[in-house]
């Protein structure tokens, strides 16, 4: 586990103002676990209101445009995220890589745009089921990193990487703890090769069907510094259990 584990909820396209009560409950729970850094990424529309509603947790976006402003109807830039109260941004989520056809080069540009605006970045990578079955998962993921890790300035300083196997997202299926550890070691090696010593401090999160029941085991895998949680971050009850599992591990090893 990382010195300060990072537990992030990705609400995806879920979250009306009615769900702010859930965010407040998560915030209260997080304040009881100071040894864990907690954050939520609601839809763009809820970021400002969530920022006002919480005290102890980070609030971030799920995507940003590469340009700071301009004629890009429907898009949201990193400086706009900052203006509405975000402190980090997820980039390269597999749902965007698949549905919005985002390439590694575009993901890198987004990561650099977010960092230039002062946001922390959670860069997502992960293989499909076919890629895992063909034995190429590690190459796919390290190639994604080679193409999408930010390079501008002090890129490693405000960076986390989330390993999310595509076949584990929303399916209830998770890789074995050994497979998670092996992939996270490969990601760590790539980070150190890219950034030198600074790459050793980048937190590498696991994501994909993390829930209250499996969090402790997944978080204990080699080089896992936290979790990026989808469905189980939508209620305070299940998300708090995951935060608690991270806190227990951070405390007791
Ligand atoms: P689930 O936790 O719902 O599988 O989603 C994972 C994810 O995609 C988080 O970004």
């Amino acid at each position: 586990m990382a010195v300060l584990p990072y537990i992030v909820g990705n609400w995806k396209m879920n979250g009306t103002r009615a769900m702010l009560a859930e965010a407040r409950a998560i915030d209260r729970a997080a304040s009881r676990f100071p040894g864990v850094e907690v954050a939520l990424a609601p839809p763009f529309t809820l970021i400002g209101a969530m920022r006002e509603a919480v005290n102890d947790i980070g609030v971030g976006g799920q995507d940003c445009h590469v340009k700071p402003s301009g004629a890009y109807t429907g898009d949201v830039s990193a400086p706009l995220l900052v203006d509405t109260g975000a402190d980090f941004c997820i980039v390269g989520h597999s749902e965007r890589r698949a549905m919005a056809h985002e390439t590694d080069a575009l993901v890198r540009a987004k990561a650099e745009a977010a960092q230039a605006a002062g946001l922390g970045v959670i860069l997502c990578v992960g293989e499909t089921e076919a890629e895992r079955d063909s034995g190429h998962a590690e190459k796919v993921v390290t190639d994604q990193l080679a193409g999408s890790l930010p390079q501008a300035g002090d890129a490693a300083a405000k960076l986390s990487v989330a390993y999310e196997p595509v076949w584990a997202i929303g399916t209830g299926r998770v890789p074995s703890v050994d497979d998670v550890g092996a992939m996270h070691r490969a990601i760590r090696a790539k980070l150190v090769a890219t950034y030198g010593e600074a790459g050793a401090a980048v937190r590498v999160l696991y994501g994909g069907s993390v829930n209250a029941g499996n969090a402790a085991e997944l978080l204990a895998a080699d080089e896992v510094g936290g979790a990026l949680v989808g469905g189980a971050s939508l209620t305070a009850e299940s998300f708090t259990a995951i935060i608690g599992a991270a806190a227990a591990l951070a405390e007791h090893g």
Side-chain angles (χ1 to χ4, degrees), residues 64-69 76-86 113-114 116-119:
C64 67
H65 197 273
V66 296
K67 293 284 199 298
S69 62
V76 175
S77 71
L80 295 180
L81 285 175
V82 171
D83 185 57
T84 197
L119 294 167

Side-chain angles (χ1 to χ4, degrees), residues 10 12 90 93-95 124 164 168-172 207-210 228-232:
N10 173 9
K12 307 192 179 184
I90 297 169
H93 192 281
S94 65
E95 285 152 17
C124 301
E164 300 205 309
I169 294 176
T171 59
S209 294
V210 177
L228 183 56
V229 184

